[in-house]
């Protein structure tokens, strides 16, 4: 039940052109649910992606989040952050996994109870805007320390690979960082996160959260094998001696022509 593929993206204003590109990503990577941040939509009727259902959202002209689930998947809306919350979040159960879409604006402070706690299996993904050396920043700020404490208390695992691309490229400073993060606590196989290529008209890169595949044996052609410990060496020795004694006397001094 934990094997679902998610796509997370800070769209920085969800337009029709961006929706078309997102639709292509969803089809290419067989995504079950997509978690969008900064949709900049105050009316949910403008939130549409072909083949997917809007499961939960928060409406805002400047922020806003939206979670879409594939039409064929089983899902249930669980809860959404209050309208006056500093951190926007929306929890949706998708194929038995609680998926939490998170957006914390850069200017807000992360507090102990800013992000709700859900039991396993669950996946948190979104834009956290928290600095920590654990996920690639040069230093750790108070929000980063608070997020690390929250992750430890919630028993979720950070899905971060140093070898992956950074999720954000600042056009102003020409630097890259990782405000986009994902955490998971799953019953079955764990998941990993892949940062995709640049997304048009957004400084954020989309990321995929993909379940790890269990190691399966590689099928091979059957080959003969022998257990020499079970060999009847006494009988083998007798047969060798018998056949050696039965060999004819060589008629040539050339060993290659003997016999």
């Amino acid at each position: 039940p934990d094997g679902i593929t998610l796509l997370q993206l800070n769209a920085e204003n969800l337009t029709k052109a961006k929706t078309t590109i997102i639709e292509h990503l969803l089809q290419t990577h067989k995504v079950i649910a997509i978690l969008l941040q900064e949709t900049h939509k105050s009316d949910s009727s403008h939130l549409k992606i072909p083949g997917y259902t809007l499961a939960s959202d928060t409406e805002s002209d400047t922020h806003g989040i939206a979670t879409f689930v594939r039409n064929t998947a089983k899902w249930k809306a669980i809860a959404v952050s209050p309208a006056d919350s500093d951190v926007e979040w929306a929890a949706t159960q998708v194929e038995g996994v609680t998926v939490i879409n998170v957006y914390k604006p850069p200017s807000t402070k992360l507090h102990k109870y800013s992000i709700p706690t859900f039991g396993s299996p669950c996946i948190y993904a979104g834009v956290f805007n928290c600095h920590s050396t654990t996920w690639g920043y040069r230093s750790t700020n108070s929000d980063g320390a608070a997020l690390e404490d929250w992750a430890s208390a919630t028993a979720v695992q950070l899905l971060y690979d140093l070898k992956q691309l950074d999720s954000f490229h600042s056009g102003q400073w020409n630097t890259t960082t990782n405000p986009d993060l994902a955490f998971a606590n799953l019953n079955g196989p764990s998941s990993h996160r892949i940062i995709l290529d640049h997304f048009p008209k957004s400084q954020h890169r989309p990321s995929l959260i993909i379940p790890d595949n269990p190691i399966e044996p590689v099928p091979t052609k059957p080959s003969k094998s022998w257990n020499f410990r079970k060999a009847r060496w006494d009988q083998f020795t007798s047969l060798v001696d018998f056949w050696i004694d039965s060999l004819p006397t060589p008629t040539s001094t050339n060993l290659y022509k003997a016999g």
Side-chain angles (χ1 to χ4, degrees):
D2 299 356
I4 61 174
T5 298
L6 308 179
L7 179 72
Q8 177 265 321
L9 170 66
N10 185 328
E12 292 187 343
N13 188 20
L14 184 63
T15 63
K16 290 184 179 180
K18 290 181 180 180
T19 300
T20 300
I21 299 172
I22 290 172
E23 185 181 358
H24 173 73
L25 290 174
L26 299 178
Q27 294 175 354
T28 300
H29 299 287
K30 299 179 181 179
V31 172
I32 297 295
I34 176 171
L35 284 63
L36 298 177
Q37 299 81 42
E38 286 200 65
T39 56
H40 297 182
K41 295 292 181 287
S42 58
D43 185 351
S44 61
S45 65
H46 296 149
L47 295 170
K48 295 180 180 180
I49 296 179
Y52 288 75
T53 301
L54 178 63
S56 58
D57 73 299
T58 61
E59 300 173 355
S60 170
D61 288 328
T62 55
H63 300 145
I65 61 176
T67 299
F68 291 86
V69 182
R70 187 193 292 173
N71 290 343
T72 56
K74 295 180 180 179
W75 64 274
K76 179 177 65 174
I78 298 178
V80 179
S81 57
D84 59 349
S85 177
D86 289 336
V87 177
E88 298 177 39
W89 56 267
T92 309
Q93 190 179 77
V94 183
E95 296 290 349
V97 179
T98 303
V99 176
I100 305 93
N101 187 348
V102 179
Y103 177 73
K104 186 190 86 65
S107 59
T108 63
K109 283 292 182 182
L110 188 69
H111 301 290
K112 185 176 182 180
Y113 299 107
S114 295
I115 305 173
T117 299
F118 292 93
S120 175
C122 64
I123 298 174
Y124 294 79
V127 181
F128 291 79
N129 284 311
C130 298
H131 297 198
S132 173
T133 56
T134 303
W135 47 85
Y137 283 86
R138 294 182 178 180
S139 61
T140 300
N141 62 10
S142 59
D143 286 340
L147 186 59
E148 289 181 332
D149 291 343
W150 167 84
S152 177
T154 313
V156 292
Q157 178 184 1
L158 172 68
L159 303 181
Y160 173 71
D161 184 352
L162 183 62
K163 298 178 182 178
Q164 290 289 319
L165 296 168
D166 290 340
S167 66
F168 176 80
H169 176 266
S170 172
Q172 180 180 2
W173 303 106
N174 195 29
T175 57
T176 60
T177 51
N178 288 299
D180 308 77
L181 298 171
F183 300 84
N185 182 1
L186 302 173
N187 297 327
S190 60
S191 293
H192 63 280
R193 184 166 168 258
I194 299 175
I195 309 300
L196 302 180
D197 292 334
H198 171 73
F199 189 86
K201 302 295 183 180
S202 175
Q203 297 179 97
H204 296 255
R205 295 175 183 268
S207 65
L208 282 173
I209 300 169
I210 304 174
D212 294 335
N213 291 323
I215 299 176
E216 298 181 357
V218 178
T220 58
K221 294 182 179 180
S223 59
K224 294 181 179 180
S225 61
W226 294 268
N227 187 342
F228 288 101
R229 292 184 179 181
K230 294 184 177 181
R232 299 173 61 182
W233 291 111
D234 53 344
Q235 183 178 359
F236 173 78
T237 302
S238 300
L239 289 173
V240 170
D241 292 340
F242 172 78
W243 288 111
I244 288 177
D245 293 339
S246 302
L247 290 174
T249 304
T251 58
S252 171
T253 56
N254 188 336
L255 294 178
Y256 294 101
K257 295 182 179 180

